[in-house]
Amino acid sequence: MGNLSLITIIIIAANVIISFKAFGDYGFFEKYKFNVGAVRRGEQIRMFSSGFLHVDNAHLFFNMFTLYFFADVVIDYLGSFKFLIIYIGSLLLGNLLSLYFHKDEYHYSAVGASGAVTGIIYSAILLQPDMSLYMFFIPIPIPAYIFGVGYLLYSIYGMKNRIGNIGHDAHFGGALGGYIITLILASWLFETHLLMIGLLALPIVLLFLLKKMGKI
């Protein structure tokens, strides 16, 4: 882990400043959170702005702490500009998938950088699949690709069973964004990490098969 890059500092600062503004201003929070009804009425800014809002300090800290660990992997391989494309693209695709799955639930709302951060995690896994991840509750390192596949499968399970107050579909959409955009920006991965690309694609294919079958 090297020094934090400027773009990572800017993103973390934006999340902190905007989230803290919303903590003390309920009207601001309501105006910029992701809400299906509002988005369908034309308030598309919420698709972007909701990614910088959080429900509390713990939610904000966990997302920014996770970003802190994975951002440099992507930046080292692809540079700051492409990192930013992946971050914003994953944020938007996470909310697009939420909109797709909840399009008839006009009350459905969500906030958080989780989709964007998950996209960065999956980009990092594609770029450096041999890295290991440490989970708080598991004392041994987990290969990144096992975490990647497992997380997507858990997200499908969470979406199917509506587990917890968690936007599993936004997480999945963010991962999908990180996956697709990274492959577009780093097409050389098809020559070096083809097996990993196929492995991470399996849960994505499974999700859309389940959706087509009406299981989700």
Side-chain angles (χ1 to χ4, degrees):
M1 181 72 201
N3 295 324
L4 271 179
S5 68
L6 178 61
I7 189 65
T8 308
I9 293 170
I10 291 171
I11 289 173
I12 291 175
N15 273 276
V16 170
I17 292 167
I18 294 170
S19 291
F20 270 83
K21 161 70 175 169
F23 291 162
D25 186 340
Y26 182 73
F28 181 86
F29 183 86
E30 287 296 306
K31 183 177 180 180
Y32 292 109
K33 72 180 183 182
F34 174 84
N35 173 264
V36 170
V39 170
R40 293 193 64 172
R41 286 194 302 270
E43 297 178 33
Q44 271 81 27
I45 186 64
R46 293 171 182 260
M47 299 286 286
F48 178 74
S49 61
S50 60
F52 293 87
L53 297 171
H54 292 81
V55 294
D56 55 31
N57 286 321
H59 186 208
L60 173 63
F61 174 78
F62 182 76
N63 276 335
M64 296 303 100
F65 188 66
T66 306
L67 179 65
Y68 165 80
F69 274 108
F70 288 95
D72 274 3
V73 175
V74 180
I75 292 168
D76 287 347
Y77 277 92
L78 301 179
S80 295
F81 181 68
K82 290 180 179 179
F83 164 83
L84 186 60
I85 290 173
I86 294 167
Y87 185 91
I88 294 174
S90 298
L91 188 165
L92 294 174
L93 196 55
N95 280 335
L96 278 171
L97 197 68
S98 287
L99 188 64
Y100 174 66
F101 279 105
H102 300 281
K103 60 182 179 294
D104 297 321
E105 301 171 46
Y106 282 67
H107 65 282
Y108 183 85
S109 299
V111 294
S114 301
V117 173
T118 306
I120 295 301
I121 292 174
Y122 279 83
S123 178
I125 290 172
L126 279 173
L127 293 164
Q128 195 174 315
D130 57 344
M131 69 177 172
S132 296
L133 308 179
Y134 287 86
M135 308 298 290
F136 292 116
F137 48 86
I138 302 176
I140 57 173
I142 302 170
Y145 66 90
I146 291 179
F147 171 83
V149 173
Y151 185 87
L152 285 186
L153 291 174
Y154 173 73
S155 292
I156 292 174
Y157 178 75
M159 291 161 65
K160 183 173 171 53
N161 296 282
R162 301 290 180 104
I163 294 175
N165 188 27
I166 300 172
H168 294 284
D169 33 27
H171 293 181
F172 199 103
L176 182 60
Y179 178 86
I180 292 172
I181 298 168
T182 300
L183 291 178
I184 292 171
L185 296 177
S187 57
W188 49 266
L189 288 169
F190 286 101
E191 297 176 15
T192 57
H193 298 151
L194 187 59
L195 180 61
M196 195 57 54
I197 291 170
L199 190 62
L200 288 173
L202 292 176
I204 296 170
V205 173
L206 176 62
L207 171 68
F208 288 104
L209 283 175
L210 289 172
K211 178 64 176 175
K212 189 170 184 180
M213 294 164 60
K215 301 291 186 181
I216 294 181

